[in-house]
């Protein structure tokens, strides 16, 4: 069953709303005893979607695992801003791997725990889209194919933000990066959730930081399974996307409302649940607030590129059934 949609009629914070619910309906972040897995002192940019997503993911993991979990973190923004030597903002068992081998290291940790008979300790691997979609893809595919008992989480901010905002395999068509200064006019990106589904692993899901209850729910659901599991989380980057730091949640929500980022769950390679779009928006509503797409609306508008992006969104809406039953399951 998908996460329960709850209406909060009072004004105030998200946590205040949780206090009106039964304890089993409250979010992890409403619990005063939460782990605070990623705590104060890190050096993330203001408005960083990845820092927000990682905190919610790991706190939900720790609650589901009874505080017995090991996290393996690929090189990237999340690792760099959270662990500047000799400091760390992590309050979990945490290992740093190379850029491309986090899935392999996580697999090794899981195998070692199994050999020691520690079936009570769960393993999580995590990284950005660079370390997941590009550099770590072979290791991740191997983890999926072997069905290793690891939950891998990709925090997708659409580029190599830590090293200067270079294009990755997850960079959207038409976006400016430092390696595509005129806009990414080639390629269509990789859909890692669909690649994961093709391996027929037990659980695959997508989520965004615009719906944190849904994110917590999917982490908790993933922890109910054993074997390889994959969660792909959209985490806007104010620096790389050239957006205001207070716009992170709104931008993430627009990505789903336009159909550019489908939110769904899949079990054993088959989609089981899709989050429908309640208010469909044109892609220009998502593109215009982002400086990385500003060239599309300049003195010489690139209607052709905007049209291609809209076509991608329309296809997602049709194939995933984001407004009505899907074309294919």
């Amino acid at each position: 069953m998908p996460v329960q949609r709850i209406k909060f009629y009072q004004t105030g914070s998200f946590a205040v709303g949780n206090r009106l619910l039964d304890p089993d309906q409250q979010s992890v972040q409403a619990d005063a005893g939460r782990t605070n897995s990623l705590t104060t002192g890190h050096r993330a940019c203001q408005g960083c979607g990845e820092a927000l997503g990682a905190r919610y993911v790991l706190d939900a993991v720790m609650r589901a695992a009874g505080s017995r979990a090991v996290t393996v973190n690929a090189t990237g923004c999340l690792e760099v801003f959270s662990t500047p030597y000799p400091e760390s903002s992590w309050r979990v068992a945490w290992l740093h791997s190379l850029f491309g081998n986090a899935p392999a290291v996580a697999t090794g940790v899981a195998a070692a725990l199994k050999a020691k008979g520690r079936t009570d300790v769960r393993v999580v691997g995590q990284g950005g889209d660079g370390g997941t979609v590009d550099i770590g893809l072979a290791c991740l595919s191997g983890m999926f194919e072997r069905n290793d008992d690891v939950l891998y989480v990709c925090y997708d901010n659409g580029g190599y933000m830590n090293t200067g905002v270079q294009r990755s395999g997850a960079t959207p068509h038409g976006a400016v990066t430092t390696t595509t200064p005129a806009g990414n006019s080639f390629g269509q990106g990789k859909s890692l959730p669909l690649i994961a589904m093709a391996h027929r692993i037990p659980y695959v899901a997508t989520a965004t930081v615009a719906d944190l209850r849904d994110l917590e729910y999917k982490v908790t659901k993933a922890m109910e399974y054993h074997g390889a599991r994959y969660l792909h989380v959209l985490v806007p980057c104010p620096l790389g996307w050239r957006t205001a730091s207070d716009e992170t949640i709104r931008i993430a929500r627009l990505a789903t409302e336009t159909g550019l980022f489908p939110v769904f769950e899949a079990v054993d390679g088959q989609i089981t649940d899709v989050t429908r779009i309640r208010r469909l928006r044109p892609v220009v509503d998502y593109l215009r607030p982002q400086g990385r797409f500003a060239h599309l609306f300049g003195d010489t508008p690139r209607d052709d590129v905007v049209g291609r992006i809209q076509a991608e969104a329309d296809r997602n809406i049709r194939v995933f059934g984001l407004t009505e039953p899907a074309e294919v399951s």
Side-chain angles (χ1 to χ4, degrees):
M1 177 181 293
V3 61
Q4 181 182 1
R5 301 295 174 182
I6 300 170
K7 294 182 179 179
F8 298 114
Y9 293 98
Q10 82 292 343
T11 59
S13 73
F14 182 69
V16 169
N18 274 278
R19 296 190 187 108
L20 301 179
L21 302 174
D22 294 333
D24 61 344
Q25 290 183 312
Q26 294 178 4
S27 73
V28 176
Q29 295 301 312
D31 183 359
R34 65 186 182 274
T35 306
N36 284 321
S37 304
L38 181 62
T39 190
T40 57
H42 63 70
R43 289 155 169 78
C45 299
Q46 187 175 21
C48 173
E50 189 170 35
L52 177 64
R55 178 164 63 88
Y56 272 71
V57 166
L58 267 298
D59 279 355
V61 164
M62 292 296 281
R63 182 168 76 172
S67 297
R68 293 183 296 275
V70 177
T71 302
V72 176
N73 204 136
T75 295
C77 265
L78 182 58
E79 170 264 324
V80 169
F81 72 63
S82 64
T83 58
Y85 182 83
E87 303 167 358
S88 174
S89 292
W90 295 102
R91 297 181 64 187
V92 295
W94 185 92
L95 289 80
H96 170 215
S97 72
L98 299 177
F99 217 144
N101 70 346
V105 173
T107 292
V109 172
L113 289 169
K114 182 178 180 180
K116 292 173 67 67
R118 293 300 305 273
T119 57
D120 59 320
V121 182
R122 309 300 299 277
V123 181
V124 178
Q126 59 181 9
D129 52 281
T132 304
V133 174
D134 293 339
I135 304 175
L137 183 57
C139 287
L140 187 62
S141 178
M143 189 198 97
F144 290 161
E145 188 273 328
R146 293 186 302 270
N147 198 29
D148 295 318
D149 191 17
V150 175
L151 167 61
Y152 190 92
V153 184
C154 173
Y155 302 104
D156 180 4
N157 57 21
Y160 292 87
M161 304 309 182
N162 170 55
T163 51
V165 194
Q166 295 92 348
R167 178 188 182 271
S168 82
T171 301
H173 182 75
V176 165
T177 70
T178 53
T179 50
T180 54
N184 172 23
S185 58
F186 61 91
Q188 56 190 8
K190 306 173 191 176
S191 175
L192 225 299
L194 294 183
I195 293 173
M197 285 173 57
H199 289 75
R200 299 181 183 177
I201 61 176
Y203 185 77
V204 175
T206 64
T208 83
V209 291
D211 191 342
L212 294 168
R213 286 192 70 93
D214 179 67
L215 176 58
E216 285 186 348
Y217 158 77
K218 285 171 177 171
V219 172
T220 304
K221 180 75 173 290
M223 295 297 289
E224 295 174 359
Y225 292 87
H226 285 271
R229 291 143 288 144
Y230 181 72
L231 181 61
H232 195 99
V233 187
L234 184 69
V235 290
C237 170
L239 175 66
W241 295 21
R242 303 182 190 178
T243 56
S245 59
D246 61 352
E247 289 280 86
T248 298
I249 301 302
R250 187 174 79 91
I251 296 298
R253 185 174 294 113
L254 285 168
T256 63
E257 291 178 338
T258 56
L260 285 171
F261 188 84
V263 177
F264 65 91
E265 291 179 281
V267 175
D268 296 329
Q270 297 292 321
I271 293 177
T272 57
D273 186 73
V274 173
T275 299
R276 300 285 180 83
I277 299 172
R278 293 196 300 173
R279 181 190 176 195
L280 184 61
R281 309 280 287 270
V283 295
V284 293
D285 289 357
Y286 172 72
L287 302 176
R288 283 189 182 277
Q290 303 180 53
R292 61 177 178 163
F293 294 112
H295 62 290
L296 302 180
F297 306 100
D299 295 336
T300 306
R302 293 299 307 274
D303 294 337
D304 57 328
V305 177
V306 174
R308 173 172 170 175
I309 297 172
Q310 182 65 65
E312 293 173 2
D314 292 342
R315 182 181 185 279
N316 286 338
I317 292 167
R318 183 180 69 255
V319 171
F320 288 93
L322 299 179
T323 57
E324 56 188 17
E327 181 181 88
V328 295
S329 61

